[in-house]
Amino acid sequence: MSTNSSSRELPKQYNHAAAQDRWYPFWEKNGYFHSEPDSSKTPYTIVIPPPNVTGALHLGHALNNTLQDVLIRQKRMQGFETLWMPGTDHAGIATQAVVEKRILAEEGVSRHDLGREGLVERIWDWKKEYEARILGQLKQMGCSCDWERTRFTLDPVCAKAVRHTFFSLFKEQLIYRGKRLVNWDTMLQTAVSDDEVNHETVDGNFWYFKYPVIDPKPGEPTHVTIATTRPETMLGDTAVAVHPNPAGALDGAEADLNSRIEAAPEKQKPELQQQLEELQERRRTLLPTLVTLRDMAVDGRKLMLPLVNREIPLVADEWAKPEMGTGCVKITPAHDPNDYEVGLRRDLPMVNILNLDGTLNEEAGPYVGKTVPEARERVVADLEKQDLLVEVEERQIELAHSDRSKAPIEPLLTDQWFVKMDNLAQTAMDAVSDKRVKITPARYTKGYLDWLSEKRDWPISRQLWWGHQIPIWYSKTAGEDDLKKAFEGRDDVVWYRDEKYGQWLICAQEEDLAEDAVEGHELVREEDVLDTWFSSALWPHSTMGWPEKTAELDFYYPGNTLITSRDIITLWVARMVLAGLHNVGEIPFSDVYIHPKILDGFGEGMSKSKGNGVDPLDVIEKFGADALRFSLAYLTTETQDVRMPVEFECPHCNELIAQTKKNRILPRVKCKKCGEEFSTQWADKPEDKELPRGAVVSDRFELGRNFCNKLWNAARFALMNLEGFTPEVVADDELRVEDRWILSRLSTVTGQVTDALAEFKYADAARALYDFAWDEFCSFFVEMVKDRLQDEAARPLAQRVLAHTLDTLLRLLHPFIPFVTEEVWQLLAEVAPKRGLTKIEPAAESIIVAAWPQSDSAREDSRIEDQFTIFQEVLRAVREIRSRQNVPPKQQIEFSLRCDAATAELIEPMQSYFASMAAAKLVAAGADVEAPELSANVTMTGMEVFVDLAGLIDVAAEIQRMEQQKAKLEGFITGKQKKLENENFVKRAPAEVVQKEKDSLTELQEQLAATEAVLKRLMESK
Ligand SMILES: [Zn+2]
């Protein structure tokens, strides 16, 4: 470099932290993330799947948000008026559970001590802290959300949308109150959904009881025996069931077992055979009794439920399995989901024996007030006293625990609010069936449609304090005339009679009703809140200000793309579609992209409760946000989940310590190498937090970091060599062959990346860019122009092509790696503020608003691309031989190429590049090229390179090397031949796989022949 250069020294390593600190505030300050409705432009809208304010984000969120940011940045560059709407979700149960648990643990205070308002206030404090943390994490990742529009599912705008939606559904009589069996968390005292329940296998018992038959006829059994794992629930039994066709059911079970025996491997057969014998034994001993019991059930016979002395029917129902237990089953509809279904089918009473705190209520007779374990013990003892306990069997049982509170789950029949799904579900099905909403990958469409087609009513109430309180007021005493009088002339209040409970249900659209809103009658507000999904379902339009007819709603709705994970297709995607159609009359988005999940080293999804979540900030600190983003996008294929084994990095000695299921939940971990302790993301206590933090890292991110460094180094070289750059339009005939090649490749890759992103093929886009930037631009083109940049006459053109190529490459990469591309973009603007090949234009002030590149088919030249592919292969071969033979770098060598005529024609014009890039001279190319007397070779498909070694090498060493290669090839060939001789393989493998093996064998045989020829020549020359 010239000494009078004013260009500043650029650091050899890309400093990701400095770039992040510099450019994120720059983008924010200049308002690039902010969008305003602009009718002269086409909108492109993404709404963020709002993260729960329960805790911090993990790598799964990092993936989800990276993909959204890649898309929104690309669309921004493509000239759309882009809006990425950010926000967070109040996550009712999850957040309340976390805060309640913490307050109880730290202060010994329960929610009842605090009261509704007090607890909600404490949760708001938590929300503020975690929302800030979450939004901070998103910013560190580089997410270009419109922060000025940040929403929260409980803020006034969203709350208004919730009230209006509830009101209109209620008015249309699509909302009703009914009984439902729920998973009851007795600690939090709320219903939890199925996916918030953990099932664990534990040691338990099977208790066998017998219930007396009332007035048995001669020959009939006097008792019916049942078995249960939860004896206390017998107090709520309302029937005992027997199968309506016990013989038929046993036939079915036997046929099923026979076919399993047939299909089973030999090893498992004896065990299944044993089961078959047991079944046959049952047929002999138990079937006659079951048939009698069935007849008794049909005849309407009753049993006496012991302890509470209630008459209950014997019923015939298929839920009773003759092949299991005693063949009879007690039915407790209010405390078991399967029994609940039987209760509905057989129209049985549903007796609830539990209070909401898990103690027994007055229905339990003498056991009232007892806890479940106390009642269990007493019930068993009392039955034993009455000689009704038959036996107790030890057995492994499944125990359900609440994921949130870890308390046992009690199935409980409770009053809940529901939305009728029939028509609403149909609208959401139609939207996907007729492709107004397109789900990618298409295989997820089926699950969406299947789930909706069940048209199960949507339970929307939760017994919580944190959330949207249901806008219903009850009046037991008012008459309809009182209500008419109180709300005369108002269209924002509606009421219906709830006959079952003898009361009025009054719903108000916006305003809360006062206790005395109806003169002389007290109104009581419903205490329950709405399930979180009720408000998140409105997210695409509530965030735009619906029900107001805002400019935002008009411009940005319907949005374009929702990017989310497969877990919430039914919980969320389906409900957003039906809510959008119901409220706004239009679908919320036209595309749904379902991305893969990030799994830990054990193949488990990352979650806060498992403790295996990785904090993206750990990765960003060590590798940089760009490395995190690029690696994640690179791994996002359509078919595979992403396995991400992680390690702790000891902050004392940098040793990597594998994360295990045991240490991943610990607040502190001891380093196995230096013996020092460090804290983890779970550190909570001051003494743990004091320890230095051991980051959680994965080598998966090295790919992204190395890529960013490679790009940085190539850019650094370019920037240092753009001194004196002058922009000028370049005529096609001025271009050198390598210019035409790189411009052709650039156009091809631009097309590939644009197409891939249009189909959400992130990995394809990232890989095309990786290969082009690394192999073609950095490793090849930059090297090819080195000489020209030193040559006064050739320099200006080389600079123009180099600047243009770098400029375009940066733009293509920007959505993936925004920080490093902005850093280079700004540096490039210092040396080349105006640039372009066909048109000279000033560079955009920030790459974030630079135009997305267009592919230009006029630049694409497949002949040149082929020529360079061959050139690269031959050059690599020549270099390989040089290094293999230890030829000094400056030493000139000669080589020849055996190839067909077409290849020879392509390679001959590349003479000068072999000279400059490998100090090599091509002396002959063609089909009749003969190996020189003493030469080294590399064989490629359809080509063979010979470097003339006369006077250059150690012949004996070369002979030894060729002999080794020969042995290796022979080994491979034998392996392939064996495989192809294997009939199993040839018959079973797909035809193209077999063909591939055959082709590969032929190629190996060609290589062996070539090696033998070289060896022969070497021996002769000795
Ligand atoms: Zn250590």
Side-chain angles (χ1 to χ4, degrees):
M1 271 187 69
S2 56
T3 46
N4 60 359
S5 157
S6 64
S7 111
R8 61 172 132 133
E9 266 305 311
L10 297 173
K12 287 208 171 97
Q13 281 277 321
Y14 165 55
N15 182 342
H16 58 78
Q20 286 159 214
D21 288 349
R22 192 157 36 239
W23 300 117
Y24 201 85
F26 170 79
W27 294 328
E28 266 200 297
K29 196 182 80 215
N30 284 289
Y32 297 131
F33 303 163
H34 182 61
S35 176
E36 284 292 336
D38 175 354
S39 56
S40 70
K41 291 170 88 178
T42 308
Y44 194 95
T45 311
I46 299 178
V47 293
I48 202 168
N52 291 348
V53 285
T54 321
L57 305 183
H58 57 65
L59 273 187
H61 299 104
L63 171 67
N64 175 261
N65 287 291
T66 293
L67 302 182
Q68 293 178 73
D69 197 47
V70 168
L71 194 57
I72 207 77
R73 282 180 186 267
Q74 187 213 14
K75 295 295 170 186
R76 194 180 287 120
M77 295 173 80
Q78 285 179 325
F80 292 91
E81 184 57 45
T82 49
L83 169 62
W84 184 9
M85 175 69 81
T88 52
D89 194 310
H90 67 281
I93 185 162
T95 312
Q96 182 170 329
V98 168
V99 177
E100 264 193 67
K101 254 171 74 181
R102 167 168 288 217
I103 295 173
L104 190 65
E106 287 179 1
E107 303 165 36
V109 171
S110 83
R111 73 161 142 155
H112 302 287
D113 302 326
L114 286 171
R116 187 167 190 142
E117 270 180 34
L119 179 74
V120 168
E121 209 174 285
R122 297 294 291 269
I123 305 176
W124 274 104
D125 291 343
W126 172 281
K127 177 255 171 187
K128 270 178 220 134
E129 182 188 333
Y130 270 91
E131 184 184 58
R133 187 159 161 196
I134 288 166
L135 300 185
Q137 286 178 305
L138 291 172
K139 290 178 183 184
Q140 291 282 315
M141 284 174 221
C143 294
S144 58
C145 301
D146 188 350
W147 300 114
E148 289 173 45
R149 297 184 181 278
T150 305
R151 290 255 156 266
F152 177 53
T153 48
L154 280 184
D155 69 21
V157 174
C158 295
K160 187 173 179 182
V162 166
R163 287 288 287 260
H164 277 251
T165 307
F166 189 93
F167 181 83
S168 77
L169 292 172
F170 185 76
K171 193 172 169 188
E172 291 162 56
Q173 303 199 36
L174 292 176
I175 284 190
Y176 68 95
R177 198 162 172 250
K179 291 275 182 199
R180 179 165 173 258
L181 192 77
V182 295
N183 302 306
W184 190 256
D185 181 323
T186 51
M187 187 197 137
L188 291 169
Q189 298 196 18
T190 186
V192 297
S193 67
D194 290 342
D195 51 294
E196 292 162 335
V197 174
N198 279 332
H199 295 272
E200 252 180 87
T201 306
V202 297
D203 290 332
N205 291 302
F206 242 24
W207 283 271
Y208 289 80
F209 301 148
K210 51 186 185 181
Y211 295 170
V213 177
I214 298 173
D215 298 332
K217 291 183 180 166
E220 289 183 352
T222 58
H223 289 82
V224 177
T225 306
I226 53 87
T228 179
T229 58
R230 297 184 297 155
E232 72 287 352
T233 59
M234 61 83 60
L235 302 167
D237 284 359
T238 59
V240 167
V242 60
H243 197 281
N245 177 9
L250 282 176
D251 289 346
E254 206 173 311
D256 181 45
L257 204 48
N258 273 319
S259 62
R260 275 174 59 202
I261 290 173
E262 203 163 304
E266 281 308 316
K267 260 196 348 212
Q268 284 171 22
K269 281 188 180 171
E271 195 194 321
L272 292 169
Q273 195 65 41
Q274 166 96 23
Q275 286 179 27
L276 185 65
E277 279 160 27
E278 281 165 16
L279 205 58
Q280 285 157 348
E281 175 66 15
R282 250 169 195 275
R283 188 187 284 279
R284 280 189 293 276
T285 54
L286 192 61
L287 184 57
T289 315
L290 293 180
V291 171
T292 310
L293 287 169
R294 188 270 320 274
D295 293 343
M296 289 162 67
V298 173
D299 197 30
R301 211 59 51 78
K302 289 201 156 52
L303 312 175
M304 180 56 71
L305 185 67
L307 309 184
V308 282
N309 295 325
R310 190 163 66 226
E311 282 188 18
I312 58 171
L314 187 61
V315 297
D317 191 280
E318 289 177 356
W319 171 238
K321 307 280 179 230
E323 68 274 22
M324 281 162 58
T326 66
C328 294
V329 57
K330 67 195 266 303
I331 304 296
T332 326
H335 298 287
D336 179 276
N338 292 305
D339 294 3
Y340 177 68
E341 297 296 325
V342 179
L344 291 179
R345 276 202 294 274
R346 305 291 153 209
D347 203 18
L348 297 172
M350 308 220 173
V351 177
N352 173 22
I353 59 164
L354 286 180
N355 293 313
L356 299 183
D357 64 1
T359 58
L360 275 66
N361 65 21
E362 59 281 0
E363 292 284 359
Y367 307 92
V368 64
K370 300 209 173 311
T371 63
V372 165
E374 288 164 0
R376 179 169 300 181
E377 201 172 313
R378 276 280 305 278
V379 162
V380 173
D382 292 347
L383 285 169
E384 192 169 14
K385 252 183 253 165
Q386 296 186 21
D387 204 18
L388 295 173
L389 175 64
V390 181
E391 65 166 311
V392 186
E393 190 183 302
E394 283 183 5
R395 168 124 24 150
Q396 299 249 297
I397 58 165
E398 283 246 301
L399 200 62
H401 273 99
S402 166
D403 192 29
R404 307 285 179 204
S405 70
K406 312 295 172 207
I409 287 292
E410 296 291 344
L412 184 68
L413 200 62
T414 52
D415 288 314
Q416 301 289 343
W417 290 89
F418 295 86
V419 176
K420 278 187 199 150
M421 282 292 272
D422 197 5
N423 288 328
L424 292 173
Q426 191 61 49
T427 62
M429 290 171 70
D430 293 346
V432 166
S433 303
D434 65 22
K435 306 265 188 323
R436 274 173 294 154
V437 177
K438 191 173 156 240
I439 300 177
T440 305
R443 66 178 185 277
Y444 291 111
T445 308
K446 188 175 181 300
Y448 171 99
L449 292 173
D450 287 353
W451 183 80
L452 279 170
S453 73
E454 291 177 17
K455 299 189 175 174
R456 283 204 211 177
D457 288 350
W458 176 14
I460 51 169
S461 50
R462 292 280 191 144
Q463 291 66 50
L464 296 171
W465 290 348
W466 176 242
H468 296 279
Q469 194 172 355
I470 291 178
I472 288 284
W473 285 259
Y474 299 99
S475 172
K476 289 215 183 262
T477 56
E480 185 155 25
D481 286 345
D482 299 321
L483 300 181
K484 278 185 179 155
K485 201 177 129 211
F487 306 118
E488 200 178 357
R490 286 180 66 168
D491 58 5
D492 64 334
V493 180
V494 288
W495 55 85
Y496 290 109
R497 184 80 185 154
D498 176 6
E499 289 300 345
K500 219 157 64 191
Y501 290 88
Q503 60 190 352
W504 290 99
L505 308 174
I506 307 159
C507 182
Q509 191 173 36
E510 270 189 35
E511 189 188 308
D512 286 351
L513 300 180
E515 257 176 43
D516 57 358
V518 180
E519 209 187 320
H521 301 277
E522 191 197 13
L523 297 189
V524 178
R525 184 163 187 183
E526 168 63 65
E527 297 237 317
D528 287 1
V529 299
L530 289 163
D531 176 27
T532 304
W533 297 112
F534 191 90
S535 46
S536 13
L538 314 182
W539 188 247
H541 58 275
S542 66
T543 50
M544 305 293 170
W546 183 91
E548 300 302 321
K549 291 185 168 46
T550 60
E552 282 79 5
L553 189 66
D554 186 48
F555 186 68
Y556 299 113
Y557 191 93
N560 298 80
T561 301
L562 177 81
I563 297 184
T564 190
S565 119
R566 62 177 178 266
D567 312 334
I568 51 179
I569 295 175
T570 55
L571 291 171
W572 196 43
V573 180
R575 287 163 182 171
M576 275 190 282
V577 174
L578 65 88
L581 288 166
H582 178 267
N583 287 351
V584 195
E586 282 184 275
I587 51 161
F589 30 68
S590 43
D591 274 290
V592 177
Y593 173 62
I594 306 293
H595 58 71
K597 293 185 65 139
I598 298 212
L599 309 178
D600 68 6
F602 304 98
E604 296 176 18
M606 291 193 177
S607 82
K608 193 177 159 64
S609 58
K610 276 194 210 116
N612 60 348
V614 174
D615 186 344
L617 295 189
D618 280 351
V619 181
I620 291 173
E621 195 187 320
K622 189 171 165 69
F623 299 97
D626 287 332
L628 167 77
R629 295 167 60 110
F630 192 83
S631 302
L632 288 173
Y634 191 92
L635 295 168
T636 303
T637 63
E638 278 205 356
T639 48
Q640 294 279 323
D641 283 339
V642 178
R643 271 246 190 171
M644 187 77 68
V646 294
E647 292 163 314
F648 289 111
E649 191 181 62
C650 172
H652 307 284
C653 71
N654 294 337
E655 177 75 0
L656 294 174
I657 297 149
Q659 196 180 53
T660 62
K661 284 190 182 183
K662 205 174 144 202
N663 70 18
R664 72 185 183 189
I665 48 167
L666 299 178
R668 59 163 72 196
V669 172
K670 190 171 175 176
C671 173
K672 59 172 199 258
K673 192 177 170 201
C674 69
E676 295 286 326
E677 287 190 312
F678 56 85
S679 67
T680 72
Q681 60 176 329
W682 308 117
D684 224 4
K685 296 185 187 137
E687 63 265 34
D688 293 333
K689 275 182 161 171
E690 262 174 23
L691 295 168
R693 164 93 174 254
V696 170
V697 297
S698 169
D699 58 12
R700 288 297 189 99
F701 298 109
E702 277 168 23
L703 175 131
R705 180 184 56 190
N706 295 345
F707 179 62
C708 290
N709 274 332
K710 181 85 178 174
L711 180 73
W712 173 254
N713 281 319
R716 183 171 169 270
F717 168 82
L719 291 166
M720 293 194 298
N721 283 284
L722 285 174
E723 206 57 39
F725 173 86
T726 51
E728 205 168 280
V729 169
V730 175
D732 275 2
D733 57 8
E734 290 177 58
L735 293 170
R736 303 256 300 249
V737 66
E738 72 265 29
D739 299 338
R740 281 189 282 129
W741 165 69
I742 199 76
L743 294 174
S744 174
R745 289 294 302 137
L746 195 57
S747 174
T748 304
V749 170
T750 299
Q752 285 169 348
V753 172
T754 309
D755 291 350
L757 287 180
E759 292 171 40
F760 307 106
K761 293 183 171 164
Y762 288 94
D764 290 359
R767 288 166 197 213
L769 282 168
Y770 181 93
D771 293 345
F772 173 72
W774 189 299
D775 295 336
E776 299 183 308
F777 178 70
C778 300
S779 300
F780 223 77
F781 181 70
V782 166
E783 207 181 330
M784 287 183 92
V785 293
K786 266 182 185 164
D787 284 354
R788 291 164 66 192
L789 290 167
Q790 304 307 320
D791 175 327
E792 196 111 341
R795 185 173 163 93
L797 176 64
Q799 285 183 327
R800 283 167 205 147
V801 177
L802 180 61
H804 170 77
T805 307
L806 180 60
D807 167 302
T808 308
L809 177 60
L810 290 172
R811 291 191 234 194
L812 291 171
L813 284 167
H814 175 73
F816 297 89
I817 45 176
F819 294 107
V820 64
T821 49
E822 182 73 283
E823 178 90 3
V824 176
W825 183 266
Q826 298 293 341
L827 293 167
L828 183 59
E830 288 177 17
V831 282
K834 288 183 181 173
R835 52 197 189 246
L837 284 186
T838 51
K839 201 170 145 202
I840 308 301
E841 283 176 310
E845 61 187 14
S846 166
I847 193 170
I848 197 172
V849 288
W852 182 255
Q854 303 274 336
S855 59
D856 175 3
S857 55
R859 289 269 184 232
E860 287 173 34
D861 184 335
S862 61
R863 192 181 149 87
I864 285 192
E865 293 198 17
D866 289 348
Q867 186 170 16
F868 269 74
T869 307
I870 294 166
F871 169 62
Q872 281 170 298
E873 276 186 67
V874 174
L875 184 74
R876 218 173 285 133
V878 172
R879 285 174 167 177
E880 185 195 320
I881 295 171
R882 283 193 77 107
S883 88
R884 202 163 79 195
Q885 307 291 347
N886 287 322
V887 181
K890 297 256 157 89
Q891 167 95 53
Q892 294 288 321
I893 58 170
E894 290 187 346
F895 73 101
S896 51
L897 180 68
R898 185 185 290 157
C899 59
D900 60 23
T903 307
E905 205 179 309
L906 286 175
I907 207 72
E908 267 154 8
M910 306 306 286
Q911 266 297 8
S912 62
Y913 301 102
F914 288 115
S916 64
M917 296 173 79
K921 184 175 178 210
L922 176 65
V923 290
D928 50 3
V929 160
E930 285 295 327
E933 273 285 286
L934 180 59
S935 69
N937 78 323
V938 168
T939 311
M940 294 161 289
T941 313
M943 298 189 285
E944 190 166 10
V945 170
F946 304 99
V947 171
D948 193 337
L949 295 177
L952 286 176
I953 62 144
D954 173 351
V955 176
E958 188 61 10
I959 288 175
Q960 196 187 7
R961 204 188 63 79
M962 292 315 273
E963 273 173 347
Q964 281 165 353
Q965 182 170 329
K966 179 170 173 252
K968 203 163 90 188
L969 285 168
E970 282 166 348
F972 286 151
I973 287 168
T974 315
K976 291 267 179 231
Q977 281 168 335
K978 272 204 187 128
K979 197 166 185 184
L980 286 163
E981 279 159 17
N982 180 344
E983 275 183 35
N984 257 339
F985 169 75
V986 178
K987 251 193 273 168
R988 286 194 188 163
E992 66 267 22
V993 173
V994 176
Q995 191 53 48
K996 222 173 138 193
E997 287 295 317
K998 285 184 180 163
D999 292 348
S1000 145
L1001 176 62
T1002 314
E1003 202 178 298
L1004 285 167
Q1005 284 164 333
E1006 281 171 11
Q1007 285 180 24
L1008 179 64
T1011 306
E1012 283 168 340
V1014 174
L1015 199 52
K1016 187 160 164 269
R1017 280 194 309 276
L1018 283 169
M1019 305 289 273
E1020 284 165 3
S1021 75
K1022 224 163 58 168

